[in-house]
């Protein structure tokens, strides 16, 4: 399983991306962090979008992504 986290550099979403990355890695999921813009914070698993801050208006809570996948 492979995850891709695209995060906004301008809004400094890197700490949130790293938190989510660490959570996924703790479950053996390979994670790539990708710099983005325009407030993006998207998490894809094996190419499928599973979480978007744009859709929810917030960052994922602890454990939320593991429930979604």
């Amino acid at each position: 399983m492979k995850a891709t986290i695209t995060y906004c550099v301008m809004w400094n979403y890197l700490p949130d991306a790293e938190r989510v990355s660490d959570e996924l890695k703790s479950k053996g999921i390979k994670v790539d962090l990708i710099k983005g813009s325009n407030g993006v914070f998207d998490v894809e698993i094996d190419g499928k979008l599973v979480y978007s801050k744009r859709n929810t208006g917030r960052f994922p809570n602890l454990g939320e992504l593991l429930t979604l996948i």
Side-chain angles (χ1 to χ4, degrees), residues 23-41:
E23 181 180 359
L24 295 175
K25 286 179 181 177
S26 75
K27 298 300 180 186
I29 299 170
K30 184 178 187 287
V31 180
D32 289 331
L33 297 178
I34 304 206
K35 295 177 182 178
S37 59
N38 299 321
V40 69
F41 191 90

Side-chain angles (χ1 to χ4, degrees), residues 2-29:
K2 181 180 177 185
T4 303
I5 301 171
T6 306
Y7 65 95
C8 182
V9 175
M10 186 175 95
W11 288 98
N12 192 29
Y13 289 169
L14 179 59
D16 294 288
E18 289 174 333
R19 174 186 58 84
V20 170
S21 174
D22 290 344
E23 181 180 359
L24 295 175
K25 286 179 181 177
S26 75
K27 298 300 180 186
I29 299 170

